[in-house]
Amino acid sequence: MKNTFNFNIFLAIAAIALLINIGSYGVIESSDARYAEIGRAMYVSGDYVHPNLLDVHHYHKPPLTYQITALGYQIFGINPFGARFFLQLAVLLQLVLVYRLTILLFDNKKTALWAAMIYFSFPLVLISSRNLTTDAFLATFALLSIFSWVKYRKTGFLKWLYFFTISLGLGFLTKGPVIFIVPIIFILFYNRTESPKRNFSIHHILAWVMFLVIASSWFIHLGIQNPTFVDYFLGKQTADRFSKNAFGRTEPFWYFLAFAPLVGLPWFLALLYLIKEQKNRFKFKTLHFTMLMAVVIPLIFFSISSSKRILYILPLYSVLAILTAHLFSKIEIEKVKIVNAIVLGFSGLILIAFVVAPFVEFGLDFPYYLAIASLTVAVLTIIIYKSKSIETKSKPVFTSLLIALLLLISSSVIFSKNELNVNGAKPITEFIKQENLNDRDILVYNTRKPSIAFGLNKSIISLYNGDESLNRETQFEEDFDWKNYLINMEDESEINYLKQVIEKPTVLLLYKKQLPIELNWLKRKYNSKKTMEKWTIYY
């Protein structure tokens, strides 16, 4: 009962930290702004089936993330808080699932509480809460599917079998076949450790039929409208992401091997030590071996894949947290000092960085009160380690939680103070609104900036002059309306259309570049100029 109460307190603290100030800064390029803008376009148009980015259909991902984001706008309005609200709920649900799954696997609420706290302290989890993408939602559905399967395997209750396939189906509608990678690897090994309570029956077939109905619904609907869509998604959006550099996201093979430990500090290093000290537990057909394989095999898969982004491996970290917490609970008390050294070393580096940052010129506004906050955390850490009422093994867990809370809350402050330096555009859109320019057509030269469209809550006109981000896929457009919002500066007929547009008052935005000499005629159409960091505004 005590540990359940403690978990509820922890969950409330995590909720406050996740939700506080998430609307204090605008959407950040590129992923955060892209998903926020697609969700906005979906909400404004009422079309929840055809994702649209800057007035061109955008079928790179299934629509569930955009639909969830649009629901946030329905509740809170079109603003950054509405865009990120359900993202925070996804992380909170992950914490609940980590806690409940740990209890299912190891029947220990204290270990479960540690697992949830360790998971929350992973930097990658914190990053996922501040970056609107499919990954946090995918990790939630992957974790829910694993929990449901373990529950079904242990109890034999059919409802958990259906929850399992429903979770996979929703995950498929979030990011496609990648939903299978972690859950299926986990299940293949887990089934060797837990005998089934039910034999194969019609319910297994019905459950997978339910998965197929959910997972294929969007694809079938679009495939009926346009038969080439299925080939497009299975080919370019699935196979090519794995085998080719289809979207400019290729990284070396060792990318995840190098960065996975960094975004898992400090507990990733602690886990390596715990595995070394308890390697005898990792025998075949054990839970420990199952969990290790559920991390190692997907990590190899993602390393082989051509397309790489650090958030792709987020689903691995719930398994890592549970394994770490369990091994930590079993280690001899005298060996806790090594884990303490790892956690305190990492925490010390963070706290020192926070104290020093306000006095170092590195291009960011770092408020002094964050240094004071870090000193407060340092004092609390000392109190934790001096306290005799706190269990020895709980001390590094509580310490890493404090650091996570500091990083999470501070991130919103730093983003809001440095929007133009962290690829935000809110100061630009706020300037346009303050100058009463929002009713004009907004032209953005040779770069894709959904943050501008989101911040102004309107369509913008992109001027394409060779930048790869504006080389859009237009094969699914049913008319030529998109050409009103994406003008090819290398096409004379489209230049003529642009000249018609600028006969009325417009706003021209340049980012990190100036107009080439041959386009100076465009600049001469404006009487005023405003420079804001990397941006130039003509109006």
Side-chain angles (χ1 to χ4, degrees):
M1 181 64 71
K2 178 181 178 182
N3 285 301
T4 301
F5 177 73
N6 288 342
F7 174 74
N8 291 335
I9 293 175
F10 159 66
L11 196 64
I13 293 172
I16 293 171
L18 285 165
L19 290 167
I20 193 170
N21 290 335
I22 59 165
S24 63
Y25 57 97
V27 294
I28 306 297
E29 297 288 354
S30 61
S31 297
D32 189 57
R34 185 170 68 252
Y35 282 87
E37 169 56 16
I38 295 173
R40 183 200 69 83
M42 188 172 279
Y43 171 65
V44 170
S45 68
D47 183 349
Y48 291 86
V49 176
H50 302 90
N52 188 298
L53 175 61
L54 299 183
D55 293 276
V56 176
H57 286 122
H58 190 81
Y59 294 117
H60 289 199
K61 296 288 190 304
L64 189 55
T65 299
Y66 313 131
Q67 293 166 347
I68 293 172
T69 304
L71 179 59
Y73 302 142
Q74 178 72 40
I75 300 171
F76 301 104
I78 298 174
N79 54 61
F81 184 91
R84 302 186 183 109
F85 175 75
F86 282 102
L87 191 64
Q88 315 314 308
L89 293 194
V91 175
L92 290 172
L93 181 55
Q94 290 167 33
L95 297 177
V96 173
L97 289 169
V98 166
Y99 179 76
R100 301 303 303 176
L101 180 57
T102 307
I103 293 174
L104 268 182
L105 294 174
F106 298 111
D107 194 26
N108 190 306
K109 288 186 177 180
K110 182 188 295 182
T111 301
L113 177 61
W114 288 349
M117 288 183 171
I118 288 171
Y119 182 70
F120 187 69
S121 69
F122 284 137
L124 187 61
V125 175
L126 305 183
I127 292 170
S128 75
S129 75
R130 291 297 179 262
N131 192 24
L132 178 58
T133 68
T134 57
D135 299 291
F137 297 111
L138 181 79
T140 304
F141 291 125
L143 187 52
L144 181 58
S145 68
I146 292 173
F147 172 81
S148 299
W149 182 259
V150 172
K151 194 79 171 176
Y152 168 69
R153 197 78 172 182
K154 283 181 173 291
T155 66
F157 293 163
L158 288 170
K159 68 178 182 180
W160 294 109
L161 175 62
Y162 287 98
F163 275 130
F164 166 67
T165 56
I166 290 171
S167 301
L168 290 178
L170 293 174
F172 202 96
L173 281 180
T174 301
K175 204 174 181 178
V178 73
I179 180 61
F180 290 115
I181 296 173
V182 176
I184 295 304
I185 296 298
F186 179 92
I187 288 167
L188 287 175
F189 287 93
Y190 174 76
N191 286 354
R192 297 174 179 271
T193 72
E194 185 75 40
S195 300
K197 300 297 186 292
R198 282 181 175 269
N199 294 324
F200 183 84
S201 70
I202 187 65
H203 288 285
H204 290 81
I205 298 175
L206 292 176
W208 281 107
V209 168
M210 185 173 292
F211 161 79
L212 289 174
V213 170
I214 295 172
S216 65
S217 57
W218 182 68
F219 301 93
I220 290 175
H221 178 77
L222 291 185
I224 291 173
Q225 293 182 342
N226 188 334
T228 63
F229 172 79
V230 176
D231 289 338
Y232 166 79
F233 191 84
L234 293 179
K236 184 165 187 177
Q237 293 300 330
T238 302
D240 286 0
R241 281 178 182 270
F242 178 80
S243 61
K244 302 177 182 178
N245 182 23
F247 297 95
R249 297 178 180 179
T250 187
E251 299 289 351
F253 174 83
W254 48 262
Y255 176 82
F256 288 123
L257 301 179
F259 288 101
L262 293 178
V263 294
L265 291 173
W267 287 101
F268 196 103
L269 293 180
L271 175 61
L272 296 179
Y273 169 71
L274 294 170
I275 291 174
K276 181 180 75 71
E277 291 297 313
Q278 302 177 67
K279 55 182 177 292
N280 59 310
R281 295 183 184 274
F282 291 86
K283 296 177 181 178
F284 194 61
K285 294 187 179 182
T286 63
L287 274 176
H288 305 87
F289 186 79
T290 294
M291 301 179 83
L292 188 61
M293 290 299 100
V295 172
V296 172
I297 294 177
L299 192 61
I300 293 173
F301 173 86
F302 286 120
S303 295
I304 294 172
S305 172
S306 177
S307 180
K308 295 182 179 71
R309 283 291 180 268
I310 195 62
L311 282 171
Y312 291 0
I313 59 173
L314 178 63
L316 309 182
Y317 283 76
S318 56
V319 180
L320 282 173
I322 295 171
L323 180 60
T324 302
H326 177 69
L327 293 177
F328 186 53
S329 71
K330 297 299 182 183
I331 200 169
E332 296 89 341
I333 197 69
E334 61 270 14
K335 293 183 178 179
V336 174
K337 62 182 181 181
I338 302 296
V339 176
N340 279 333
I342 294 171
V343 172
L344 289 175
F346 172 77
S347 303
L349 290 175
I350 297 295
L351 294 175
I352 291 171
F354 268 65
V355 171
V356 172
F359 305 98
V360 177
E361 181 59 45
F362 59 102
L364 292 178
D365 180 1
F366 197 96
Y368 287 93
Y369 54 79
L370 293 183
I372 296 173
S374 69
L375 291 174
T376 303
V377 170
V379 172
L380 290 174
T381 301
I382 293 171
I383 292 173
I384 287 172
Y385 274 88
K386 290 290 185 181
S387 174
K388 295 182 179 179
S389 61
I390 299 177
E391 182 187 359
T392 300
K393 286 187 177 181
S394 293
K395 293 178 179 181
V397 179
F398 288 164
T399 299
S400 62
L401 174 61
L402 283 177
I403 296 298
L405 293 172
L406 175 66
L407 290 173
L408 189 61
I409 296 173
S410 298
S411 66
S412 294
V413 174
I414 294 170
F415 286 155
S416 64
K417 295 282 186 181
N418 300 274
E419 296 214 41
L420 294 179
N421 289 318
V422 296
N423 290 328
K426 186 177 178 181
I428 305 301
T429 56
E430 289 299 309
F431 174 81
I432 291 172
K433 292 176 183 177
Q434 290 166 7
E435 296 295 317
N436 297 315
L437 304 173
N438 197 31
D439 59 341
R440 303 183 181 186
D441 283 330
I442 309 298
L443 314 179
V444 181
Y445 174 73
N446 206 31
T447 185
R448 190 176 71 185
K449 290 296 179 184
S451 56
I452 298 295
F454 178 85
L456 297 175
N457 190 20
K458 62 180 289 185
S459 294
I460 61 174
I461 299 174
S462 300
L463 307 182
Y464 171 63
N465 199 16
D467 188 270
E468 186 60 30
S469 68
L470 288 175
N471 188 12
R472 307 294 305 280
E473 297 174 336
T474 59
Q475 66 267 39
F476 296 109
E477 300 306 310
E478 297 178 353
D479 52 41
F480 292 101
D481 287 349
W482 62 273
K483 285 180 173 266
N484 296 329
Y485 304 98
L486 180 59
I487 298 176
N488 187 352
M489 303 297 286
E490 299 173 355
D491 186 312
E492 189 62 32
S493 64
E494 297 193 30
I495 289 287
N496 291 333
Y497 170 72
L498 174 60
K499 290 179 178 178
Q500 295 175 31
V501 171
I502 60 176
E503 286 303 312
K504 297 179 180 180
T506 60
V507 177
L508 173 64
L509 302 178
L510 276 64
Y511 180 73
K512 285 186 176 180
K513 59 192 73 171
Q514 295 299 318
L515 289 174
I517 296 175
E518 62 270 20
L519 293 179
N520 276 345
W521 59 267
L522 179 59
K523 186 166 54 177
R524 289 194 290 269
K525 286 287 184 178
Y526 303 95
N527 298 319
S528 301
K529 174 182 175 182
K530 174 75 173 180
T531 301
M532 301 175 69
E533 299 289 344
K534 302 170 185 176
W535 290 84
T536 306
I537 307 171
Y538 291 96
Y539 59 101

